[in-house]
Amino acid sequence: MNDRTTTLDGPAVDDALTRPFEGASPYDTYVHASVLNSLQHPLTEAPDEMGFLVTTQVMELWFTLIVHEWRTAKVAFAKDDLPAAMDALVRSRRALTALGAAWAPIAALTPAQFNGFRAAFGRASGFQSAMYRHMEFLLGDKSARLLRAHRGDPAVHEALAETYREPSLYDEVLAHLHRQGLPVPRHVRERDVTSPYDSDPGVVETWRHVYAGPQHHPHVALGELLTDIAELVTRWRFDHVLVVRRAMGAKPGSAGSAGLAWLEQRAARPVFPELWEVRGDV
């Protein structure tokens, strides 16, 4: 019998898997798991605080991936490379699905459980997340006031300001559709992209042209993929409302916001609004 076989301890293990590493393992060097696993620092003895920290940190990682994919899609739309843009949007849809599932560890916190550690994070609040703000800006939900809140961190502020100044993902979608011969109004194409995007009747008409045409056309698939993304974002927002409502009711938010009322207001903002409006006209 040699090291490659066992009788009672389980299946054979290749020698290469048990050979000592020179320093950190290749896995840790690539994934940086030891760094990730060192970032949880509960400030109380409350048993639910660790779950809250991990859930929040995992969501930040999903935000990062979603922003990456939407930026990739933007570049592809600007080049009129619809297949590459669609691939990136599909990947973001998977990430958004995982993001929604990430609520599970804290979704059923009772008020007593949440209050066991709530005071520990002081004035910290989820709406201060710069990466989530990148997501909202990419969706066209721009806000100079929320950008200004990050001025105290120059690197974060400048990165966010760049996303604020650039066309949103939806702006690039509409520009692409225009170049493909669809009737996107000029005032929409030349709008101030630092302003929040609002529904436009002319864009509803653009999508009406798409949906009235052949149902297997790539632009119909694009409309449906964007609708999937809009639905997943909206579901995540409303799940956030439910988590907060269950854990703390209508108390003010930790950073001085209106708490539940603020979240409900944000959740009600439509994502890609004309894609929803056109469905009653087709």
Side-chain angles (χ1 to χ4, degrees):
M1 187 166 61
N2 57 46
D3 289 342
R4 296 178 63 86
T5 62
T6 64
T7 55
L8 299 176
D9 295 337
V13 177
D14 193 287
D15 290 343
L17 298 180
T18 59
R19 188 177 302 126
F21 306 117
E22 296 181 4
S25 71
Y27 173 83
D28 194 63
T29 300
Y30 181 70
V31 177
H32 300 291
S34 60
V35 175
L36 292 173
N37 293 329
S38 71
L39 298 178
Q40 296 77 44
H41 303 287
L43 299 178
T44 73
E45 297 298 321
D48 296 288
E49 187 181 5
M50 187 66 166
F52 185 83
L53 278 171
V54 170
T55 295
T56 304
Q57 291 172 348
V58 166
M59 285 187 176
E60 283 290 329
L61 292 173
W62 286 124
F63 295 161
T64 299
L65 177 57
I66 292 162
V67 166
H68 169 78
E69 298 296 4
W70 287 351
R71 285 175 173 157
T72 300
K74 275 186 56 181
V75 170
F77 279 122
K79 296 177 179 178
D80 292 323
D81 187 348
L82 184 59
M86 294 278 282
D87 285 347
L89 293 179
V90 167
R91 292 192 299 268
S92 80
R93 181 174 61 187
R94 297 183 192 129
L96 282 162
T97 299
L99 174 65
W103 284 118
I106 63 171
L109 285 177
T110 68
Q113 289 168 335
F114 184 54
N115 287 336
F117 62 88
R118 186 189 183 204
F121 53 82
R123 295 185 61 79
S125 175
F127 85 81
Q128 298 164 355
S129 167
M131 197 54 66
Y132 181 69
R133 197 62 53 211
H134 279 284
M135 281 182 58
E136 293 215 320
F137 285 2
L138 281 164
L139 291 173
D141 197 357
K142 305 288 184 74
S143 169
R145 182 168 58 91
L146 292 175
L147 169 63
R148 189 165 56 246
H150 292 274
R151 284 187 304 184
D153 190 332
V156 169
H157 180 264
E158 181 50 37
L160 191 54
E162 186 175 351
T163 305
Y164 173 78
R165 293 188 295 261
E166 292 177 346
S168 70
L169 170 63
Y170 197 47
D171 288 324
E172 292 290 7
V173 168
L174 297 178
H176 166 74
L177 292 178
H178 169 71
R179 291 191 295 272
Q180 303 309 302
L182 286 159
V184 180
R186 181 174 181 177
H187 66 269
V188 173
R189 292 183 281 113
E190 297 180 355
R191 75 183 193 90
D192 177 4
V193 297
T194 65
S195 298
Y197 185 87
D198 289 319
S199 178
D200 185 275
V203 176
V204 175
E205 184 63 25
T206 300
W207 286 113
R208 187 180 294 113
H209 275 270
V210 169
Y211 279 96
Q215 292 304 290
H216 294 288
H217 193 283
H219 289 157
V220 174
L222 172 60
E224 290 302 282
L225 180 51
L226 291 171
T227 303
D228 287 345
I229 289 169
E231 181 175 330
L232 287 165
V233 170
T234 302
R235 287 183 183 278
W236 184 88
R237 289 173 174 174
F238 277 107
D239 282 348
H240 192 182
V241 169
L242 291 175
V243 169
V244 171
R245 182 181 290 161
R246 183 163 182 164
M248 59 176 271
K251 293 178 182 177
S254 54
S257 74
L260 187 64
W262 162 269
L263 291 175
E264 288 173 337
Q265 178 187 20
R266 301 297 295 179
R269 294 183 65 83
V271 179
F272 312 145
E274 296 93 350
L275 281 165
W276 300 100
E277 295 170 32
V278 74
R279 291 171 189 277
D281 299 332
V282 176

